[in-house]
Every structure is written in structure tokens, then in C-alpha cells.
Amino acid sequence: MIVGRLIDYLMAAAHQVARKRMRVFLTALGIAIGVAAVVGTVSLGEGIRYQAVEAIKEQSDLTLIEATADIRGGAIQLITPAKIGELDAIPHVAASSAVVREAYATKRQTYLEVVGVDPGGIGDAIRPKYLKGESLAPGSRQAVLGHDVAETLQRYEGVRLGDTVPILIRRYDEDGMPVDEEVGFTLVGVLQERDDAFDQVMLIDRGVAQELRGGEAAFDGVLIRVDHPDAVFGVVDGIKGLGLTARGAFQQIESVNRLMDVVVLILAFFAGVALIVGALMIVNTMVTSVFERTREIGITMAIGASPADVVYLVLAECLYIGLIGGVIGDLLGVAFSGAINTFGKPFIVAQLGDTFSTFADAEITLITPGLLVLGMAIAIALSLVSGLYPALKASHLNPVTAIRTGV
Amino acid sequence: METIIEAMHLNKAYNDQVTALLDVNFAIGKGEFVALLGRSGSGKSTLLNILGGLDAPTSGEVRIDGRNVDFGDRKALIALRREAIGFIFQSFNLIPALTAQENVEYPLLFNYHEKAARRERAADLLATVGLADRAHHYPREMSGGEQQRVAIARALVGDPLIVLADEPTGNLDSRTRDEIFDLMRRVNRERETTFLIVTHERELGKRTDRTIELLDGSVVS
Ligand SMILES: Nc1ncnc2c1ncn2[C@@H]1O[C@H](COP(=O)(O)OP(=O)(O)O)[C@@H](O)[C@H]1O
Ligand SMILES: [Mg+2]
């Protein structure tokens, strides 16, 4: 019923539009230019966002997330066996392994970030690749070093594979006096460079770490392997839903997105100024059109149209302007985006520097279906808003005066 | 005979100065074919607009088909125009962007009829006024007489009780004028639609059931 009415109005309006093709086309062009500007500039922003995110995905271990204890609403959420069970139950979690985090210092005061892992369960979670040596033997005082920290220790302390890393662990005696206990870890492996936090850590056996800590069986975090990069943010939400904090390479994507949201918004805003001109063109065209048809509108009312009918008829005409403007705008926008890609890329790549050298052989603009839908929606919404004033003006015409004096 | 239009003490003043109607009283019976005569400026259009609910009187009452018209109720006035009244104007009556068929269908659009029913009814009426073959022609492609016939079909499409025609033959040559007049007369006889036709041509008045004559806003006969 409602749809039927809508079609009726659109059919009637189609005749009016068809009669003034040139005028409608030119008005639609005004909107189209604004839409094209928005689509083109946003496609640039989206393209850069896409490339940056792809670069992060390429360079880092995106599917590795660490869930850590967090204070939520005053209550600390601990990593309990029950919590680990809940984490494992999150869809797309392929593997998980609880860890203990510690900070040690070597005898020569090199600070070491230590992760106590379960040598049996850690393989699936962090997928370690060894530059040298092999993995930890369960229950033993052995250490595997991340790439960067291994280099540091070798350079400044001369520690090599097979050597013992001397660690001082500070304890306090009965009188509260600090006592440093020396513990030696045999270096059994060095990880390949990963470009993430694991380059900086020393991995030791989890049981050993807990024992050195004083025997409490608590965990500080859970390393989680997600089965697919696309599922990462879903798993992050799941972790947050359990009251825990999530950390990992995905955070870089989050910050890129935050930045690009602002950039895209600003770009779209400036491009959108062109839309104001288009909107004013519609107002002008429709006011003229209503004025020219004063008598016709009066007669329409005399034969039974209500003011609301008149409003819908005028808005239906505007809808065509919006539709035509949206289609042309999207097409021009795609062309504009292509032009940015062809002529603007060398310039932009030069500005971004080496980090984003991957951009050189990629598209720096990205047209998504959503962007085209947005362009269409802007054109339609704007045409309807612009048509409101002429439509109301038409509906307020007094039919008697309109018929008596109208042209 | 059943009364279908009743005007009681109708007064209309524009801007508190121009008196267009002065204590107008008359009644028209169902199925009557009446001419409204009077010089230019005597208030004929004003009266017609008030009877059709397009304009409100300054004072007085109008009764259509036994019911008082409430000029303050906009919805009721729209319903009156949609259901009870058909309007024909002097010229440039039709919507230029629509074909003859679409022009005739147009009032039904606001009456919420089904598309198929609208089309059929419009085609019927175009045939009644003898323009079945011009259905897809635009107003600019038709003569003045043909346009007025389309306007008559349009006025009849909602099956109104009353057709109010404001100088429907004003811009036509005498032969075409007679044709249009005869057509309205025929419709009046066949459908028993009441016609009130404004004209300033006395001669046409002789071919109606009855004439009402206005002089400076008052009924003189
Ligand atoms: N909207 C209006 N404002 C002011 N005066 C009007 C208006 N409409 C009609 N009149 C005046 O009212 C009188 C009657 O006009 P009208 O009904 O159009 O006469 P007719 O149709 O018989 O020629 C005329 O004097 C005319 O000038
Ligand atoms: Mg008149």
C-alpha cells in the first residue's frame, strides 16, 4: 500500500522530470560534483588506511593476543583456571597458554623482561622459530632469548648459546633486609627476529618462574593464538567481555584506524563543502519550478490533492535529482579516485617515506561498496532536504489565488 | 426533487473591502443543469470556489448533499473535493507533463485507487468524451476543445455528485463551445451529475434547465 503510493508519486514526478531533462540534469550535476569530491577524497583516506593495516598484518604477528589481568570496577579479574577455560571457549581461539611475567636483572645489571611459559603448551600459541638452539625442557632452569635481547647480552655480557645467564633475584630476609640470590639459567635457544615484544624477552619455564616467585600458582596472562587474522577483533572483544585486557599487534591497527577516522572525516568535511553548492542549486531549481507551476499546483489541489500530496510530489521530483546526482557522483568519484592513484601517488609515496614503500606498487585509493552507497545516500538525503523548502512552499499555496493569478 | 446544493446567506469580502458576494441564497436540485450568469467581476468564480470548498465564505452556510460544509475543517474540505466535486476551469486546465489518459487518472491518485482500476476508469471516460484515440497525447498536442473534453473526463473520473465549471467554454470558438456544452448536457442526462456552469454568454443560459444570475455579488434571478 505505502509502496504503491510511493510508486504513484514517483511516476507522476517522473513525467515532470522527463519534461525538464536538461534542467534536472544540470542540477543533478551540481550534487554529483560534491559527491564525487567526497567519494574521491574518502577513497584516498580509505586506501591509505587499507595499505597501512596490510603493512601491519604483514610485518607483525597479528593473530597472537595476550589477555592480561585487569582491574574493572574496583575488582581485579585474576587469571584463574576457570577464566582460561572461558578464554578457550571464545570462538576462533586456536590455542592458548597461560604465562607468568617477571622482571629480572642480570648480575651486571642488564634488565630482563621474563616470560614464564609452559614449554609443552607454548608452541601453538607463539609459534617460536629458532635462530639457534632449541626449546626449553620442562622444569629445568633453561632460557630462550628473544632476538634483540640475545644480541644485547652477547654484546655486553658475552653470553652465547650454552652459557649460563646469571640472574640476581632479590629477596627479603626476616629483618626485611634485601638479599640477592643468584640463579643461573642455561641459554638453550635464541628466537628469530619477530618485530614484536618477544624480541625483547627471556622465556623460561613457567613452573620455575612460579617457584622463584615463592611458589604461588597464579598467572599474569594468557597468550592466545587466533585461527584467522579476520577473527582477531572478535576475539579481542571476547577477551574484553571477560573483564580482561587484550594486548597485541592488533593495537597498532586500532591506532591506525583511530587516526584514519579523523583524517577521513576532515577530508570528507572539506570535500563536502562542494555539496552545499549543489544543495543550493536544488533549492533554486525547485523554487523556480514550483513558481512556474503555480497554476498547475492550484489545479492539482482543486482536483483533490492535499497539501501533503503536493509535498510528496515535489519531494519525489527531488528524489530523481538525488538519484541521478548520486549515480553520476559515484561514477565521477571513481574516476577522481583513479586520477589520484595515477597522478597523485608518486607525490604521496615520496611524502610518506620508506616505511610505506609498499605503497609504491599498490593502489593508494580504495573504493568500497560502502563508499558508493554513502555517495548515493548523501545525494539522496541532500536532495530531499533541499527539496523540503520548495515542497512546503508549494503545499502552502492558496489554490484559489494560484489558479486566478498563476502562470 | 432532492436538493443537492444549498447556499444560505453567503457573504464574501476580500480584505474587508471588496464585497464579492452579498447575501447569496439559492438551492440546486440533484441532476439539475444550471448556468451561473453574470458580468465579469460579479462574483461567479468566488461563488463557485466556495461551493467547491476551495475558498471559505466570510459568513453564511453551504450545504452539499444535505450536509453542512465546515470551512474550518481542512481534511473535510479535501474529502469534499475528492468525493463530491469535479472542477473544470477556463483553460490551461490540464497538467502539461501528463498525457490525456494520465490527466484523467490524476485525481484518482489522490483518492488512493489501484493503478489498474484508475487506468480502466480513465480509459472509459476518455471514450465517453470521444477521445479514446488521443489517450497518449499531451495537452500541447490537442486543440482547445479537445483539452476541455479531457478536463470534463477528469472532472467526472471520481464520480462526483456535482461538476463546477468556471467558464469552460470561455476560450473556444462558437462551434467547439456548442460541442463542449452538448457533451456536458449529455453527461448530465446520462449520469444525473449536477452541473453548475459559469458563463457570461446569455445565449448558453437558454440551453440549461435554469439560470442563476449574479449582479455585483447578489442573485438577481
Ligand atoms: N483574491 C481576491 N482578492 C481581492 N479581490 C478579489 C479576489 N478574488 C476576486 N476578487 C474580486 O471579487 C470580485 C468578484 O470576482 P470574481 O468572483 O472573480 O468574479 P467573476 O468570476 O464573476 O468575474 C471582483 O471585484 C474581484 O476583483
Ligand atoms: Mg471568474
Side-chain angles (χ1 to χ4, degrees):
Chain A
M1 183 66 186
I2 298 279
V3 174
R5 302 287 304 141
L6 205 65
I7 291 173
D8 285 344
Y9 290 127
L10 286 173
M11 295 289 279
H15 288 98
Q16 300 290 357
V17 168
R19 201 151 172 266
K20 304 241 157 68
R21 271 175 233 117
M22 199 57 199
R23 183 192 286 184
V24 166
F25 175 74
L26 289 175
T27 311
L29 214 53
I31 281 286
I33 289 169
V35 168
V38 171
V39 168
T41 50
V42 172
S43 80
L44 175 61
E46 292 299 329
I48 292 174
R49 181 205 301 267
Y50 178 80
Q51 293 300 337
V53 168
E54 286 303 298
I56 293 168
K57 283 185 185 170
E58 191 113 322
Q59 287 162 17
S60 55
D61 194 357
L62 188 64
T63 53
L64 179 63
I65 304 175
E66 182 173 354
T68 56
D70 193 8
I71 296 173
R72 287 282 163 94
I76 186 155
Q77 293 285 336
L78 291 171
I79 309 280
T80 57
K83 269 278 186 256
I84 295 172
E86 287 176 77
L87 286 169
D88 282 331
I90 296 173
H92 299 289
V93 169
S96 78
S97 182
V99 296
V100 170
R101 282 188 176 271
E102 279 296 347
Y104 295 161
T106 63
K107 215 169 167 185
R108 292 160 86 167
Q109 297 300 316
T110 304
Y111 169 81
L112 288 176
E113 204 183 314
V114 175
V115 181
V117 299
D118 167 17
I122 198 65
D124 290 337
I126 56 176
R127 294 182 187 153
K129 288 202 197 82
Y130 292 91
L131 185 67
K132 292 182 249 177
E134 51 177 30
S135 61
L136 301 168
S140 58
R141 290 192 177 178
Q142 293 182 340
V144 167
L145 288 176
H147 179 269
D148 293 357
V149 74
E151 220 159 62
T152 310
L153 281 183
Q154 180 173 349
R155 184 167 308 152
Y156 298 109
E157 303 197 12
V159 177
R160 291 168 188 284
L161 200 66
D163 291 353
T164 298
V165 187
I167 299 290
L168 291 182
I169 294 174
R170 179 151 293 193
R171 298 188 188 289
Y172 297 88
D173 63 17
E174 299 92 76
D175 304 329
M177 296 300 286
V179 183
D180 286 335
E181 181 192 344
E182 189 178 323
V183 181
F185 286 90
T186 312
L187 181 57
V188 296
V190 174
L191 296 179
Q192 284 180 11
E193 188 163 16
R194 293 169 54 97
D195 279 321
D196 67 9
F198 282 95
D199 286 348
Q200 311 290 343
V201 303
M202 178 166 96
L203 299 178
I204 63 172
D205 181 79
R206 189 171 72 192
V208 172
Q210 283 172 335
E211 180 197 310
L212 287 175
R213 192 191 253 185
E216 30 169 329
F219 303 117
D220 297 312
V222 180
L223 292 172
I224 289 167
R225 176 60 64 181
V226 181
D227 64 4
H228 193 273
D230 292 343
V232 166
F233 283 96
V235 173
V236 166
D237 288 341
I239 293 170
K240 287 177 180 163
L242 294 176
L244 302 173
T245 298
R247 293 190 304 178
F250 72 88
Q251 286 172 297
Q252 286 171 271
I253 295 181
E254 280 183 342
S255 40
V256 165
N257 277 334
R258 267 195 298 275
L259 173 70
M260 290 316 293
D261 280 348
V262 175
V263 170
V264 164
L265 210 65
I266 292 171
L267 284 177
F269 179 80
F270 282 107
V273 171
L275 287 168
I276 297 174
V277 178
L280 291 176
M281 281 176 68
I282 296 187
V283 175
N284 180 56
T285 300
M286 291 313 292
V287 166
T288 308
S289 167
V290 164
F291 174 75
E292 288 172 351
R293 282 167 25 212
T294 301
R295 183 178 158 90
E296 179 185 320
I297 292 166
I299 287 173
T300 304
M301 288 172 135
I303 63 175
S306 67
D309 288 324
V310 174
V311 168
Y312 294 140
L313 284 169
V314 175
L315 286 184
E317 284 181 43
C318 294
L319 188 65
Y320 284 103
I321 297 178
L323 284 171
I324 297 168
V327 169
I328 299 176
D330 275 352
L331 291 175
L332 286 179
V334 170
F336 183 30
S337 163
I340 295 176
N341 225 350
T342 316
F343 305 112
K345 185 155 72 181
F347 174 74
I348 289 173
V349 168
Q351 294 296 311
L352 286 174
D354 288 347
T355 333
F356 295 100
S357 55
T358 47
F359 281 27
D361 36 51
E363 307 263 305
I364 55 162
T365 58
L366 179 69
I367 302 264
T368 59
L371 185 53
L372 296 180
V373 170
L374 176 78
M376 214 55 217
I378 290 176
I380 290 171
L382 210 61
S383 66
L384 293 180
V385 169
S386 312
L388 217 51
Y389 168 70
L392 289 173
K393 206 171 150 74
S395 74
H396 281 96
L397 284 174
N398 175 336
V400 175
T401 349
I403 295 166
R404 240 173 81 88
T405 60
V407 260
Chain B
M1 183 171 33
E2 202 180 325
T3 301
I4 193 147
I5 305 176
E6 220 175 336
M8 287 166 289
H9 306 295
L10 279 185
N11 287 287
K12 176 72 180 180
Y14 288 105
N15 317 318
D16 296 330
Q17 291 167 11
V18 189
T19 306
L21 295 178
L22 194 63
D23 196 37
V24 171
N25 294 281
F26 64 84
I28 292 174
K30 193 171 180 139
E32 269 195 295
F33 193 75
V34 182
L36 182 57
L37 297 172
R39 284 206 315 260
S40 177
S42 58
K44 305 179 298 291
S45 295
T46 302
L47 178 59
L48 218 63
N49 290 335
I50 290 173
L51 295 179
L54 274 183
D55 205 351
T58 312
S59 67
E61 298 215 328
V62 172
R63 207 171 280 169
I64 301 285
D65 200 22
R67 266 186 296 171
N68 261 4
V69 177
D70 179 355
F71 288 94
D73 183 346
R74 289 176 51 163
K75 283 220 169 92
L77 292 179
I78 292 167
L80 177 77
R81 295 205 288 271
R82 283 181 184 166
E83 288 151 25
I85 310 285
F87 267 107
I88 304 170
F89 300 96
Q90 183 166 2
S91 55
F92 310 112
N93 241 318
L94 304 177
I95 312 293
L98 305 181
T99 62
Q101 161 94 21
E102 290 158 350
N103 261 291
V104 177
E105 276 182 43
Y106 207 40
L108 297 181
L109 185 81
F110 309 114
N111 230 337
Y112 314 121
H113 282 68
E114 286 299 317
K115 177 110 193 118
R118 289 204 301 257
R119 189 167 287 169
E120 196 181 334
R121 194 151 167 76
D124 272 1
L125 279 158
L126 273 181
T128 304
V129 300
L131 285 178
D133 56 333
R134 310 302 298 264
H136 302 296
H137 288 234
Y138 286 91
R140 63 174 181 278
E141 300 164 341
M142 289 183 279
S143 70
E146 285 169 331
Q147 289 186 32
Q148 283 310 65
R149 285 203 249 166
V150 175
I152 292 170
R154 183 181 67 187
L156 294 171
V157 79
D159 220 355
L161 297 167
I162 304 157
V163 170
L164 301 173
D166 196 349
E167 307 201 37
T169 58
N171 278 354
L172 303 176
D173 61 75
S174 60
R175 227 189 80 202
T176 318
R177 185 192 67 193
D178 288 347
E179 276 172 29
I180 294 296
F181 214 79
D182 291 343
L183 173 61
M184 290 194 285
R185 185 70 193 176
R186 200 185 83 215
V187 168
N188 160 255
R189 293 230 164 90
E190 286 171 2
R191 297 173 180 253
E192 290 179 14
T193 311
T194 309
F195 273 78
L196 181 58
I197 303 164
V198 168
T199 174
H200 49 244
E201 291 169 280
R202 227 155 244 300
E203 190 233 324
L204 283 179
K206 295 189 184 119
R207 293 156 59 180
T208 57
D209 296 336
R210 203 177 124 203
T211 60
I212 297 173
E213 186 164 355
L214 283 180
L215 182 61
D216 295 336
S218 299
V219 177
V220 290
S221 69

